[in-house]
Amino acid sequence: MTNVFETQWDAPQVEVMEALQAWAVASAELNQQMSSWLDLPTTDANALGQVLWADSSGDPLSPARLGQRIGMTSGSVTVLVDRLEAAGLLARSREHSDRRRVTLRPTPVARERAGAFLEESSAEIAAALQGSSAAELVTSTAFLRKMVAAASDATTRLRAGRS
């Protein structure tokens, strides 16, 4: 069977797309493992992971930004955030001068449970990153940012076409 991409792309480009797909699958499988570890539905574990990551990078999420990251409507995000808050894993706060604006923060319990998972799961990924040269990481980061921008642009264009 002919690879659908081979009609438009050369072999190295196909290899890159296959590698990106393999990473997406491997990442989803890790998220499923985290879901099991935390005893949460996969969507909830993904959302909690997004909140933890954003918080640790100093750019905490609002419910709207969380919804954009995980592809959920505002109503669905509200229900999900309510569940995570009831489970003691997430807290809403009003940290801005605009008191209507809500920030999502992981609780200490969420940090502890996610930290325990990362201790068990991140050794191989850390080794791969640490075994890469600074030049490889810079090049990879630039390439991945281009791919994210291209995918985002395509999504925007496709959504606009449906309106």
Side-chain angles (χ1 to χ4, degrees), residues 19-35 42 45-46 50 117 121 125:
L20 287 170
Q21 178 61 30
W23 165 251
V25 170
S27 180
E29 289 173 347
L30 273 174
N31 190 59
Q32 289 173 342
Q33 291 299 315
M34 185 172 83
S35 169
T42 304
N46 183 33
Q50 293 292 326
F117 174 76
S121 67
I125 292 172

Side-chain angles (χ1 to χ4, degrees), residues 97-120:
S97 56
D98 180 350
R99 301 299 292 162
R100 295 171 296 175
R101 190 168 169 197
V102 173
T103 300
L104 302 175
R105 296 279 185 182
T107 64
V109 170
R111 286 188 183 97
E112 180 182 322
R113 291 177 66 193
F117 174 76
L118 286 173
E119 283 181 29
E120 291 292 321

Side-chain angles (χ1 to χ4, degrees), residues 42-61:
T42 304
T43 302
D44 292 23
N46 183 33
L48 182 59
Q50 293 292 326
V51 170
L52 284 156
W53 187 264
D55 185 68
S56 71
S57 70
D59 188 21
L61 297 176

Side-chain angles (χ1 to χ4, degrees), residues 28-157:
E29 289 173 347
L30 273 174
N31 190 59
Q32 289 173 342
Q33 291 299 315
M34 185 172 83
S35 169
S36 294
W37 180 277
L38 297 173
D39 196 28
L40 291 173
T42 304
T43 302
D44 292 23
N46 183 33
L48 182 59
Q50 293 292 326
V51 170
L52 284 156
W53 187 264
D55 185 68
S56 71
S57 70
D59 188 21
L61 297 176
S62 66
R65 282 186 56 214
L66 175 61
Q68 290 169 342
R69 285 192 176 190
I70 62 175
M72 292 181 80
T73 64
S74 62
S76 296
V77 169
T78 298
V79 171
L80 184 148
V81 168
D82 287 347
R83 271 194 316 264
L84 290 173
E85 193 171 39
L89 299 171
L90 197 80
R92 291 176 173 102
S93 62
R94 298 186 188 278
E95 304 168 11
H96 305 280
S97 56
D98 180 350
R99 301 299 292 162
R100 295 171 296 175
R101 190 168 169 197
V102 173
T103 300
L104 302 175
R105 296 279 185 182
T107 64
V109 170
R111 286 188 183 97
E112 180 182 322
R113 291 177 66 193
F117 174 76
L118 286 173
E119 283 181 29
E120 291 292 321
S121 67
S122 66
E124 295 84 356
I125 292 172
L129 287 168
Q130 293 163 356
S132 299
S133 70
E136 286 176 309
L137 295 173
V138 167
T139 300
S140 297
T141 300
F143 172 75
L144 290 170
R145 285 187 175 142
K146 278 193 230 178
M147 294 303 290
V148 168
S152 295
D153 289 350
T155 298
T156 300
R157 179 179 47 78

